[in-house]
Amino acid sequence: MAGDGTDQRALQYEQTLMYGRYTQELGVYAKEEAARLRESGQRKSISATRNLDLLEYNKGRCAKCRICTVRCQKFLISRVGEDWIFLILLGLVMALVSWAVDFCIAICLQAQKWMYGGLDSNVFLQYLAWVTYPVVLITFSAGFTQILAPQAVGSGIPEMKTILRGVVLKEYLTFKTFVAKVIGLTCALGSGMPLGKEGPFVHIASLCAALLGKFMSLFGGIYENESRNIEMLAAACAVGVGCCFAAPIGGVLFSIEVTSTFFAVRNYWRGFFAATFSAFIFRVLAVWNKDEETITALFKTRFRLDFPFDLQELPAFAVIGIASGFGGALFVYFNRLIVQFIRKQKAINRFLMKKRLLYPALVTLLISTLTFPPGFGQFMAGKLTQKEALVTLLDNRTWAKQGIAEEFDYIGNSQAWKHPHVNVFVTLVLFIVMKFWMSALAITIPVPSGAFMPVFVIGAAFGRLVGESMAAWFPDGIHMDGTIYSIVPGGYAVVGAAALSGAVTHTVSTAVIVFELTGQISHILPVMIAVILANAVAQSLQPSLYDSIIRIKKLPYLPELGWGHHEKYNIRVEDIMVRDVRYITLNCCYRDLHNVLLTGHLKTLALVETAESMILLGSIERAQLQSLLSQQLGRPRRMEYIKEQATADKKRLSVISNPCSEDSSHRASQEVRFQISTEESSFSPTRPASQKPLKPALKRVSVVERPTELPTSPHDNSGMALKNLFCASPDAEGLEDDVDVEDDMTIREIAEWEEKQLDEQVNFNNCKIDPAPFQLVERTSLHKTHTIFSLLGLDHAYVTSIGRLIGVVSLKELRKAIEGSVTVKGVKVRPPLASFRDSGTSSSETEATELHKLWDRHKSISLPQDHMPSESDEKSQ
Amino acid sequence: MAGDGTDQRALQYEQTLMYGRYTQELGVYAKEEAARLRESGQRKSISATRNLDLLEYNKGRCAKCRICTVRCQKFLISRVGEDWIFLILLGLVMALVSWAVDFCIAICLQAQKWMYGGLDSNVFLQYLAWVTYPVVLITFSAGFTQILAPQAVGSGIPEMKTILRGVVLKEYLTFKTFVAKVIGLTCALGSGMPLGKEGPFVHIASLCAALLGKFMSLFGGIYENESRNIEMLAAACAVGVGCCFAAPIGGVLFSIEVTSTFFAVRNYWRGFFAATFSAFIFRVLAVWNKDEETITALFKTRFRLDFPFDLQELPAFAVIGIASGFGGALFVYFNRLIVQFIRKQKAINRFLMKKRLLYPALVTLLISTLTFPPGFGQFMAGKLTQKEALVTLLDNRTWAKQGIAEEFDYIGNSQAWKHPHVNVFVTLVLFIVMKFWMSALAITIPVPSGAFMPVFVIGAAFGRLVGESMAAWFPDGIHMDGTIYSIVPGGYAVVGAAALSGAVTHTVSTAVIVFELTGQISHILPVMIAVILANAVAQSLQPSLYDSIIRIKKLPYLPELGWGHHEKYNIRVEDIMVRDVRYITLNCCYRDLHNVLLTGHLKTLALVETAESMILLGSIERAQLQSLLSQQLGRPRRMEYIKEQATADKKRLSVISNPCSEDSSHRASQEVRFQISTEESSFSPTRPASQKPLKPALKRVSVVERPTELPTSPHDNSGMALKNLFCASPDAEGLEDDVDVEDDMTIREIAEWEEKQLDEQVNFNNCKIDPAPFQLVERTSLHKTHTIFSLLGLDHAYVTSIGRLIGVVSLKELRKAIEGSVTVKGVKVRPPLASFRDSGTSSSETEATELHKLWDRHKSISLPQDHMPSESDEKSQ
């Protein structure tokens, strides 16, 4: 009773303290708390009801208040586990963040305009203001991100793609990263550089979901489940896009296309729910802020509904699609080229590594100089912000006829496209070309930033260019009979925007995003056609921007099978698997373990029954084996041994009858042991032991000839095995071992003892074994293997044939096989092996042969067993 | 050379013949052809180039023509393998089918109207015409479908869902079914019953894809790949919805939600590509047919863009969503109730089974009587077809103010809602109520039909009702300041339609379909909110309509994990697995095989190393084992035995030196054998042999006491084992065996010989073994198991612990555990087992213990082997 009371108080105390601790150590704290809650979970649920009754009689004035608190807590804990509460909270938080970021960005941009406008008396001062402002902001953003959390740099979609595949990226989902990303992003976009907020928002939403999950796990247990967390992260990605563009459907689809390989349809509603709620709040905030009268699209268009486009305009849309495909591929290639160029130039690289903030500053200076409105900027609508540019590009009216001033009232921004001496076509072309390389360059700046929006604007400009050309070519429209329907260049801009952004990101759902952004779906067919064509072209030329970044950053990710992957159906696992598997047997000795750990670098090792049968029993993690080995050779065990030795010595001293015979037998057996152990380790499972043939042999020799020589230095022999293993910090290990050299044993004795220990059979009792590692068959196709790997998020899979381990396939081999260009051990993988094979029925034969072997082996093993009578009986027939 | 020529000619001949054979036996023909092509594939590719050169010198006048043909063929074969050609063909065919079906339906409906209109002098004749026409059409449709392909009945989405999960449903994808479905659907919809075309179109598109795939496999080999076929079927489902509503995006999403559990994002583009192309062609056909001026939406709306709805209208939209959720659940429940009622009433059922066409006729009669426009139909807009009703419901104008006659010109159909004496609200309510039960009843008629469109119309009517009420309540709109924005009831109709159809099908993508159907996306937020709320309500009350049909039809499908499935994370495989696994050992004898096959009914059996080790080596199909057994006991082997016996007899006759000792030893050994075999089979792996304990014992006794009695009839003993096995046709088997009784052996001898054969060890050499059946661990959670089963389309998985087989989980157990209501062996699965468990670390302990056992066993086995010295050495330390 009293215990329960203090428990309760302690909980309340912790919960008030929590906010104080939140910022810095939530991770550890949440874990501890969750563990505590889990342990006391059942006890509490039983005692909670008792609490309620007992508290009635409790001393103190606030008994009622407490009962109420307890009841509220109970209710909260029971309800808070529901997914929808989590999703609503996530949506709400993200909408607020998105709105706040937008608000801050708008203020920043206004400030720049105001400064630039106020100084119009002096062009030089104007230029200084125009240039300094973004340089300062970008430099601050880069520096802030660098210091607080370098993981926040870039878009974050490649990382999320990797995380959703099941890979744990360190520090990518922490509060620090959240702060760095939000503030860094606001500053970066406030500078007016051609950067986007959509990629970072995917990351921010995921961060939000991860932090919210940790926070919610204080109330209930289900937030600890890993698969649930991944489901929530997938929903969060949708929220990120959804609240960035107020595009719930497009957000869900885009996030699926960009982050998932296989999508669980049961998570679909989560994304929709959270993204809709988030988009709703995001737009409601705008209404409350009196920016809008009601909830409408972000970039509302006003195209006519009755005749949106003519059938005969479709070829023009198709051209936009194809050209966008090439443009998108070029953008990705160009971006990669810049990164690789900077990396390769050692001198530049070394200089930039020292002065990390110089590169952002230089790039910003270059870009902002070129867009300076009184300078070159006047030929490329340089004074417009990204948002303003997009609004004018999606405009309803036709520019080519110079009939800009018609019935609409916001002429202001459209004026920027009109230059007194230069044609609007030239302005558009310059805008496209300049923005193209500027965007590709800008997204290499190490600040939190995305590429979607810049690409979107470039695409819109390209579409507008085609549209204006069409309008100039057919001033009265193409339609023949009856009413004149003039061409709407704004519709072309919509198509171009969707096509180019689709080409760069390799997604089809940009079409949906465009509909939601503009609030009109009348151009659905042109948009779909252009997006599909752009995707077809871009996907056959280059990886998507995100995959390109994944490759540049060398993140552990499995590439997609491309559009035409027929040959993938013909490659089998046996073509790509590594036949030389590191394994340990059930009856191996510690020396084998040691050797295996020395030669391989895989994270997990296969456990087979015997080296002959090779029946796969499970897999063990490397760390587990290392701990086994260190236990066996560790100090505690040695001390035990010394104690035993001491008691044995005492006994020997007391019973001194026949010392010599015992000793000699002991020594003889030991020598026999060495001989045999040598034999056995030549037969040891680690076949590639020949890679390091000298060391083990030397070591063994030195021990066998033990009376002849003393080791020269204590570092040579003591803890040898251990030192070889943990070579990362050999000195520390050596020192530790050196310390206890003095306590009771000489170095030689320790070495000797270790050698003895190494020859003992391994006891796997306390070892955690994965009893069902994933298995494939030799004839599994590459296509199926890829599917399974990406479905289950595997890192490696064993290839077995009727229980026998014959190979292993890891992500690396698979990636090589898919990318095709890399060869496996000198042989180009794809065509030679795949083409020689007939898809006939040889599989059953080989299986039968394998089985036969196993069967024969089994017969010979089971011969001396209890099945013998029946077998002899059979032979007698 | 000459051979090549004839080959070529044969191919051409076959290809001209092909169309003739196409209609009736494409299935078999395609398979044969594919097999032939596969075999000759490499030979051809080598010889094809040679052909080209050699043909130049060939005699005959059309050499050039031939070269051209060969070249074209080569090009076709190389190109035809591309996915996009397949998808374009699929889209084209489906667009044509969709348009043709629509055209025919329109003609049918016009004919009915014409008949009804022409007879307006006599109400009775009018009624007769109004009623007879649909009854005849529906009866014809039902009869035609019944005769040609009963698989074509119903929507087809449940079946496609099952097929895409990997289950092979017989005859569901044949040409017969295609014909039955298309013609049946056209007639059914032409009758004017409240039926939809969307579900059947999913099925038709899949049929198209399957047939097209078979047809294309004549050209290339990749069309035989099963996983590719499933990918194409998934795309086909998207095409089905896409070309039905001219809604490519919604089609793709709807098909994903409705048919998939896990969706491969790499198939996404396929669906988009094919659906877009199909929708494009579908709408272009309408333009060419001069129905439309250009490509626009199917049910185009003209809501205002600048202020689509007020924020304060959102509660009304939410109410529509929630009410639609309840309505949708009610619809599914009601539909199931009707089916179950008809099934339960034995008398009705028997009568209906005899007169299969009576039920459709009666239902049609009832529905068409009630919609007769001069009768009750006048109160529920009975004279409108579904399409007309929908167009009027989505109308721009407000009815409540009776201001229908404004600027638009198609007043005609809207008049149907206006009754001189009855309020429009009453008409709407009656329409909703009547159509509700009519639709639920109509979709139980055994014709090809879907439920989407009727539900969509009911939803639109409900939305309209709410909208009109709102308009009557707030005649000047809700918005306070400035301009008056009146309420648009058509927007409410859009929201209602999306919400109700979403609730019935449990999909969110109806929202997208609605946007594409109406061509306006301005109501995105209300629609999304309503759809999500409707889904939330409906999913917590009832399964989706398709899942409900799956349950009614008892299709082999895995149910989804519901919205709140937290407790699923706590159930483990060990709670639901069947521990009593049927298995065979590697060294088992044919008798064990026989017993296992007799007792179990599983399709596959586990193959383990020995009964003690239980190490899982693979799984064997039942059919394989049966063929093994029949080979062993079959006539050819017996004849061989007889021959051997005869030669042995001859030898004995020639070498007559010591006959008696040999014979006695032979008999003695035989008797020993029987003794031992009895012992061994009591130790046999089929533990549940006690289910049929009498028969084997009796049989064995009758053989051991062989000299005492003769079997009374030849049926009793001959081919006993075989007969027990193939109990489906025991007489035929018996007769066949009877025939060769006379040839050389007596019945007794045969029985004896069979018993001998049964005791031989099984030779698995020619047996096809799946060497890597899917394995789970005891502690795999139900959630993960469900994921894996649905990801990989598994039917069963073995549960192993460090290689040892300890249980099996099949789809049945999983389904039971998920549905929760069903108990496994008397114990309610979910709460008791799940709650007792702490998520602690006991797993490693049990694993360790298991391993320990295995290790010990292994030690004892390997003791007499070559590892002995090292082990003894270890002991000596």
Side-chain angles (χ1 to χ4, degrees), chain A residues 773-831:
Chain A
F774 202 85
Q775 297 171 29
L776 299 170
V777 198
E778 301 141 274
R779 299 191 65 79
T780 311
S781 68
L782 178 61
H783 183 258
K784 200 168 182 182
T785 311
H786 180 270
T787 308
I788 290 170
F789 265 70
S790 37
L791 273 175
L792 304 178
L794 296 180
D795 176 65
H796 66 278
Y798 294 110
V799 184
T800 56
S801 169
I802 327 194
R804 291 164 57 87
L805 177 69
I806 56 168
V808 67
V809 177
S810 73
L811 216 51
K812 202 177 67 186
E813 280 90 45
L814 201 56
R815 202 182 307 148
K816 274 183 191 165
I818 289 166
E819 282 169 0
S821 58
V822 192
T823 56
V824 177
K825 286 184 187 164
V827 183
K828 188 134 166 58
V829 177
R830 215 186 299 171

Side-chain angles (χ1 to χ4, degrees), chain B residues 316-353:
Chain B
F317 292 122
V319 166
I320 292 181
I322 292 168
S324 295
F326 284 108
L330 188 68
F331 185 86
V332 174
Y333 176 71
F334 196 53
N335 174 49
R336 200 167 56 238
L337 215 64
I338 293 170
V339 173
Q340 281 169 351
F341 174 78
I342 291 168
R343 273 196 190 168
K344 264 187 199 159
Q345 300 292 321
K346 292 275 162 67
I348 302 175
N349 204 7
R350 221 174 302 128
F351 182 68
L352 288 177
M353 282 301 281

